Amino acid sequence: MIGIPPCNPEKLNSNNPEAIHAGWLLDGTGAPARRNVRIRIDQGFIQSMRPADPPSGKDRSGVLDLTGHTVMPALIDSHVHLFLSGTGPPELRRRQLEAEFDAAIDWIRSHARACLQCGIAAVRDGGDRRALALRFRRNHEMGNAPLHIRAAGWAWHREGRYGRFIGRPVPEGSSLSGAIRADDSDADHIKIIQSGINSLRVFGRVGPAQFSLPEMREAVIAAAERGLDAMVHANGEAAVRMALKAGCRSLEHGYFMGEENLRRMAERKIFWVPTAGAMLAYTEAGALGGNEAEVSARTLEHQLGQMARAGELGVPIAVGTDAGSPGVEHGRALRRELDLLIQAGFSIEAAVCCASRNGARLLRLSTLGTLRPGKRASLIAVPGGVAALPGSLRAISLCIYDGVVWGSSVKDGGGEG
Ligand SMILES: [Zn+2]
C-alpha cells in the first residue's frame, strides 16, 4: 500500500552492509531536511549517509527504497505517566490510581507498546505514588522490547499540597533534601512538584510555591549527590524562578512563567517541557463546567505565545506530552505536541529536534536523538515529504530501534487495541 517491501530484521541485522534510501531526511539536529540520502547500516550502526539518486536497476539490491518517505530519528517523549491511560472511562482512571503493581503491569505494558508503535524509543516518567513505572523498568517487564524508560519513581510534594496522585509528601520532621537523601531507590531522576496546576476557572491564576528557594537549592544538591537530575513541575513566575535558580535540569509545564524566566532558561540552557497538549485536551473535554472551556483555551493560547518566545530566545525545548493526563494518550499525544510547536511558529525541523536531539540530551541517552555516521540506527520513516509531518506520523512505515527493525507499516489505531 505504501510501496515498500516488508522489512526483514535478519537482513538489516546481517553483517553485510545494507542501506536505506531516504527520499527526505531529518537528522534531528534542526538542520534543513535533505533530499535523497543513502543511509548505510552495518550491524545496527549507521555507517554512512550520502546523497544518492533514488535506487534503480541493479542498485536496488539490498536497498530499502524509501524514496517517497521521510526518515528521521526515533522520537522521545520527555514527560509521561505510564501508570495512567489518559483516555477511557472514569472508572478505569479510578482503578489505575489505586492499582498495585500486579494489576497495573498490563496497562503499563500497553502504554509502553503504544509509544513504540508511534515511533517513540524513549520516555521519561514523571512519577506515580507507588513507583510502579520504576518497578516496571527495573523488572524488565518489557522483555526485549526496545523502549528506554527513565523513571522518577514517585514525585515529591509538600504534605497537603498538590501532587498526591503522582507523589509522596515529604515526611513530617524531614526536609525535601533529607527525604531525597534518605531514599535509596534506583530512580533515574528526581521529580519535585514545586507548584500546583494553573486554575481552569480563573485565567492566569497559579498557586504559591510549595518549597522555598533554599529548600529547592538543597534538594537539587541532594539529587546531584545521588548522581541524579531534578525534573521540576512548576507554574507561575515565582515557583518557576525558584526552580531555575536552584539549578533544575528541566522545568515541566511552566504555564505563566513569564519573560524573565524564559530568558533565564535560555541563558542557563535549562530544558523546558511545555506539555501544551495537556491543556489542548482540556479545551476539548466535553464535560467542563462554568467557563473552564474558555479559560483553558486562553491558557493554551498563552502557552503557545511563551513557546514562540522560547524559540526566539533559544530555550532548549524537549517534547513531553504528560501522557496519562486526562485526554492525553500515550504515543499518539506526541504528534499533537509537535503540531502545537508548529502552531507556535517552529519549523518542522526545529519541532522534530525538540522531540529527538533535545530529548536525548535531557535524558542523557547518547545513542538516540540524531542520525549520523557512527551512531546506532534508531530511526523511523513516515510516508510523504517533510510537509506531510507531523500528520504522517499517523502512518509510520518503518521503525528501527537500537539497530533492529521493530515493525513496519504500523497503522495508527494499533495503540491500545
Ligand atoms: Zn506530569
Side-chain angles (χ1 to χ4, degrees):
M1 171 181 160
I2 41 179
I4 61 165
C7 298
N8 181 341
E10 279 160 345
K11 261 176 98 180
L12 276 156
N13 282 316
S14 73
N15 294 333
N16 304 322
E18 290 289 336
I20 291 174
H21 186 88
W24 289 262
L25 178 85
L26 291 171
D27 67 6
T29 65
R34 287 151 65 184
R35 285 288 271 138
N36 289 313
V37 177
R38 192 71 58 93
I39 305 169
R40 293 210 164 271
I41 298 174
D42 187 18
Q43 300 190 52
F45 286 82
I46 297 174
Q47 199 182 46
S48 65
M49 289 168 39
R50 296 209 181 94
D53 292 331
S56 62
K58 270 208 319 253
D59 182 38
R60 282 183 181 281
S61 101
V63 177
L64 186 58
D65 186 359
L66 295 174
T67 301
H69 300 246
T70 300
V71 173
M72 67 179 107
L75 303 170
I76 294 168
D77 190 339
S78 292
H79 190 137
V80 302
H81 297 275
L82 285 172
F83 80 123
L84 289 172
S85 288
T87 53
E91 171 54 24
L92 174 66
R93 192 169 188 81
R94 272 195 291 278
R95 277 164 54 209
Q96 290 180 334
L97 284 168
E98 296 309 320
E100 297 295 339
F101 187 67
D102 288 345
I105 203 163
D106 287 344
W107 288 315
I108 297 178
R109 191 179 286 121
S110 79
H111 299 152
R113 215 178 151 71
C115 290
L116 289 167
Q117 286 173 326
C118 290
I120 297 167
V123 297
R124 188 176 59 145
D125 192 278
D128 60 84
R129 183 153 46 112
R130 296 179 175 82
L132 304 173
L134 175 60
R135 189 163 158 195
F136 183 87
R137 191 272 283 144
R138 181 189 307 137
N139 292 2
H140 301 287
E141 296 290 352
M142 285 293 280
N144 291 328
L147 186 71
H148 297 256
I149 299 174
R150 296 281 205 217
W154 59 85
W156 289 108
H157 68 99
R158 190 178 286 291
E159 179 78 64
R161 294 289 310 276
Y162 174 81
R164 209 181 77 81
F165 74 110
I166 54 168
R168 298 182 189 177
V170 172
E172 222 184 296
S174 180
S175 60
L176 176 59
S177 57
I180 291 169
R181 287 194 177 95
D183 163 27
D184 62 356
S185 77
D186 58 344
D188 300 307
H189 50 267
I190 301 295
K191 173 79 180 291
I192 299 168
I193 299 177
Q194 166 63 347
S195 75
I197 47 174
N198 41 286
S199 171
L200 292 181
R201 298 222 166 81
V202 182
F203 177 74
R205 190 170 78 187
V206 289
Q210 297 197 14
F211 301 102
S212 69
L213 178 57
E215 284 175 307
M216 283 299 293
R217 281 208 166 110
E218 256 320 293
V220 171
I221 291 168
E225 284 168 8
R226 292 177 55 194
L228 304 178
D229 294 322
M231 168 187 191
V232 179
H233 162 127
N235 295 302
E237 285 191 36
V240 170
R241 190 188 317 121
M242 287 186 237
L244 301 181
K245 282 190 165 176
C248 66
R249 172 88 170 161
S250 73
L251 195 282
E252 312 301 307
H253 319 305
Y255 285 89
F256 303 108
M257 72 169 113
E259 169 85 10
E260 199 192 314
N261 282 319
L262 286 167
R263 287 181 178 280
R264 201 169 268 129
M265 271 193 285
E267 256 163 48
R268 300 187 184 188
K269 295 291 169 223
I270 294 171
F271 289 93
W272 180 29
V273 185
T275 65
M279 191 53 60
L280 174 63
Y282 279 118
T283 70
E284 295 167 343
L288 292 174
N291 62 343
E292 287 181 352
E294 184 221 320
V295 170
S296 50
R298 280 179 71 196
T299 303
L300 174 62
E301 257 335 283
H302 187 271
Q303 186 75 332
L304 293 179
Q306 292 200 131
M307 288 155 67
R309 189 69 186 122
E312 290 163 7
L313 292 169
V315 175
I317 288 182
V319 168
T321 60
D322 216 356
S325 280
V328 186
E329 200 175 348
H330 289 275
R332 285 183 230 182
L334 195 141
R335 188 178 74 233
R336 282 158 61 93
E337 206 68 38
L338 289 176
D339 245 327
L340 291 166
L341 277 168
I342 288 161
Q343 276 183 44
F346 284 65
S347 65
I348 187 64
E349 286 92 343
V352 166
C353 174
C354 295
S356 54
R357 186 194 67 186
N358 289 359
R361 285 184 178 168
L362 171 54
L363 275 63
R364 302 187 191 274
L365 289 169
S366 61
T367 61
L368 297 176
T370 55
L371 299 180
R372 60 179 158 75
K375 276 195 95 140
R376 190 77 79 80
S378 281
L379 57 84
I380 61 173
V382 291
V386 171
L389 281 161
S392 53
L393 283 165
R394 282 193 185 87
I396 294 178
S397 31
L398 171 73
C399 298
I400 298 181
Y401 296 127
D402 296 335
V404 179
V405 173
W406 185 78
S408 63
S409 298
V410 174
K411 284 280 153 284
D412 205 0
E416 296 185 20

